Structures are given as C-alpha cells and as structure tokens.
Amino acid sequence: MEQLFSLAQQNLLSPIILFFALGFSVAIAKSDLNFPEAIAKGMSLYLLFAIGFKGGASLSGYGIDLQLILSLLSGIILSATLPFLAFVLLRILTKMSAIDAAAVAAHYGSISIVTFVAASSILEIQGISYDGYMVAVAATMEAPAIISALWLISRKNKASKGLDGELMREILLNGSIVLLIGSFFIGLITGKDGLSEISPFISAPFKGVLCLFLLDMGLVAGRGLMNAKGAVSGRSVLFGVLMPLAGATIGLIFALVIGLPLGSTVLLMVLSASASYIAVPAAMRVAVPEANPAIYLTLSLGVTFPFNLTVGIPLYVTIATAVIGA
C-alpha cells in the first residue's frame, strides 16, 4: 500500500501536472498570464500529430490480432453506453433539464485527447509500456457518444436537428479527429523508419510542449470555472467527480475481460473517465443550440479535466497496478 501511495505522489509531482496546477491557480488569482490563441492552437496540433504518428508507427510492427479488434470494439461500446449512465446520474443528482443533461452526457462518453496524452506521458515517466493501437481506440471513442446523446435528446426535444448532414460532417471531419487519425495512418504506413526520420521533432520536444499546453489549459479551466459560478450547482460538480470514477471502473472491467496489459489498461480507464471539450461542444452547438454551454463546458473542462489530471490519472495507475501488477 505504501508503494502505491508513493506512485500516486510521484505522478502528482510530475512537471506535466504541476504546470496545469500553476495555470489553474493563477487563473483563480486573476493573473493576466495568457497564451495567444494561435500559439495555443499550434501546440494542440503538434500534440495530436505527435501522439498519432507515434501510435501508428508503434502499431506498424504489431499487426492485427484479436486483442486489437476487441480493444476497438470495447472503445466503441464504452463510448456509446457511458452517456446513458451519465444521463441517469445527472437526473438523479441534479435538477438539470433533460436537454442539458443529455448534452452533458455526450461529453462523458466521448474522450479528452489531452488527458490521454498526459496519461501516456506519465506512463512513459513511470517506465510502463502500452500498446500503440490505443491511439486508434481513442479515435473510435469520439463519435458514438454524440450519437447516443442525440438519441436521448430526440426523445425529449422535437426541435433538435438530429443526425443531419451538417452534424455528421462536424463529427467526422472535426479537425482534432482528422489530424489524429491521419497522422496515425501515416505513422502506420511509414513505420519505424518514418519515426526515426522525424524523431528529433516529435520525441524530444514533446514533453516540454505538453507542459506549456497544460499551463494554458489550466488558465482556460480556471477562468471558465470562475465565469460560470451561477450556472453549475454543487451537485453538478459532484457529478463531475463521480462520473470519471465510474467510467474508469467500467473501463477497468473491460480491460480485464479482454486481457489488456497494465499500460493499455490505464489508458482505457483514462479514456473512459475523461470528458470531451473539443469535438462534442462543437457538435452540441450545431445539433442542440438550446443546451447551455456554460454547464457542459464548465463540467468537462473546469471540473473533470483538472480532476483527472491531478487526482484521477495517478489513482487509475495505482488501481491498475494493484489489480494487474507491475
């Protein structure tokens, strides 16, 4: 047990987590520290490109087998079903309308790629390996949650747009998904040789860029939380903490059933526990404009995102290590 607490403490004191905490705390203190939007977007594109390419290159020497197929199916099932659990919890815990509850639920079936990247980096710091195809699993978990939430919304709201062509384009051609999947397949095609060619660009600077990006995300999350005090109740915040714990537990069960190794188990837990704040808000804005963005953005970015970075990831690593072993 002492070793497990030591692991959690070590993760919490990593530069990645501390830079996020710095951004979050100075935002609460109303510092004028800020990143130009172009630089923040550039860092985001770099991280998506790097993680996608490295994942594809890793998979190039792996091949397609039953565990890969089961992992992809698990990701799709988790993404499609977790919104229903989130919707029920919200309706029990809060007085949120059905429309807002369904819009929030979509975020908790989809994933946060930045949380995934942070977890990957922490695993590397700990010397824990994971399968490269987990990047592909992350990519499959974006859209199913949106479709499930829209089904929930269509039962309550006749005015919702449903799965029309504009929305499907928004989901499938979302920039983050396109870059992640595109770089993944380029890495898959070029393999280890391709990785060695651009390794100085995507390997050495990666963690430094991630630290700066999370500093910016801390600023965004902190300011968003300060600006949306009236829109989110204490019970909603409680949901933002309980739902990732429930999602991680379900993700762990899936990982154990299909026999994933330790590192991949942690990543499936993280994916199941995270909440989208890029692809899903864009889709909800198109499909359900009457849903309140202050609620779903504050919960996903202002509550669940910092919870996962500071407490969740170390906790998931600790639990998976206790269950599976180092």
Side-chain angles (χ1 to χ4, degrees):
M1 183 62 69
E2 183 178 347
Q3 184 179 1
L4 298 179
F5 280 116
S6 176
L7 176 63
Q9 183 181 24
Q10 194 174 5
N11 288 337
L12 283 169
L13 295 178
S14 71
I16 297 166
I17 305 301
L18 291 176
F19 270 101
F20 176 83
L22 173 63
F24 191 85
S25 59
V26 299
I28 297 296
K30 299 184 178 179
S31 167
D32 64 354
L33 177 63
N34 197 20
F35 280 77
E37 185 177 348
I39 293 177
K41 185 174 183 179
M43 290 190 295
S44 175
L45 293 175
Y46 169 83
L47 293 172
L48 289 168
F49 157 68
I51 195 70
F53 192 95
K54 288 192 287 186
S58 175
L59 183 59
S60 66
Y62 183 88
I64 297 176
D65 62 10
L66 180 60
Q67 191 170 76
L68 167 61
I69 295 171
L70 290 175
S71 298
L72 293 172
L73 287 174
S74 295
I76 293 170
I77 293 170
L78 285 165
S79 178
T81 56
L82 284 173
F84 293 99
L85 173 60
F87 182 80
V88 171
L89 281 177
L90 282 166
R91 298 292 279 168
I92 292 173
L93 289 174
T94 73
K95 296 180 179 179
M96 202 177 293
S97 71
I99 302 301
D100 283 328
V104 171
H107 295 68
Y108 286 83
S110 190
I111 58 103
S112 161
I113 193 62
V114 178
T115 309
F116 177 82
V117 172
S120 303
S121 297
I122 286 174
L123 289 177
E124 290 174 7
I125 292 171
Q126 296 295 330
I128 301 173
S129 61
Y130 57 88
D131 298 305
Y133 61 71
M134 292 305 296
V135 177
V137 175
T140 64
M141 293 181 71
E142 284 277 15
I146 299 172
I147 295 171
S148 295
L150 290 178
W151 182 83
L152 284 169
I153 290 170
S154 68
R155 297 175 62 230
K156 302 291 182 180
N157 182 17
K158 300 298 183 183
S160 66
K161 295 184 180 179
L163 289 171
D164 60 13
E166 183 184 1
L167 179 59
M168 288 306 297
R169 182 182 182 280
E170 188 80 28
I171 295 170
L172 298 177
L173 294 182
N174 179 272
S176 61
I177 299 177
V178 169
L179 180 57
L180 181 67
I181 296 177
S183 57
F184 176 84
F185 278 108
I186 293 174
L188 181 64
I189 293 167
T190 58
K192 300 293 184 182
D193 292 337
L195 179 60
S196 64
E197 287 185 32
I198 61 173
S199 181
F201 176 68
I202 66 172
S203 295
F206 182 83
K207 289 179 182 175
V209 175
L210 179 59
C211 286
L212 287 175
F213 182 77
L214 287 177
L215 173 62
D216 180 56
M217 292 307 300
L219 292 168
V220 173
R223 286 167 184 158
L225 193 60
M226 292 291 289
N227 293 335
K229 285 181 179 178
V232 178
S233 67
R235 292 190 171 214
S236 298
V237 173
L238 178 62
F239 164 83
V241 173
L242 291 179
M243 186 59 203
L245 295 174
T249 301
I250 297 171
L252 174 61
I253 293 171
F254 270 76
L256 292 174
V257 170
I258 64 179
L260 289 181
L262 175 59
S264 297
T265 295
V266 172
L267 291 182
L268 189 60
M269 293 174 71
V270 168
L271 289 171
S272 302
S274 64
S276 172
Y277 52 83
I278 300 175
V280 177
M284 291 299 105
R285 187 172 64 246
V286 173
V288 199
E290 64 270 35
N292 188 349
I295 297 175
Y296 55 70
L297 280 174
T298 300
L299 287 178
S300 61
L301 185 58
V303 179
T304 299
F305 181 65
F307 171 79
N308 274 328
L309 281 187
T310 56
V311 178
I313 295 175
L315 180 62
Y316 310 148
V317 173
T318 301
I319 293 172
T321 303
V323 174
I324 297 176

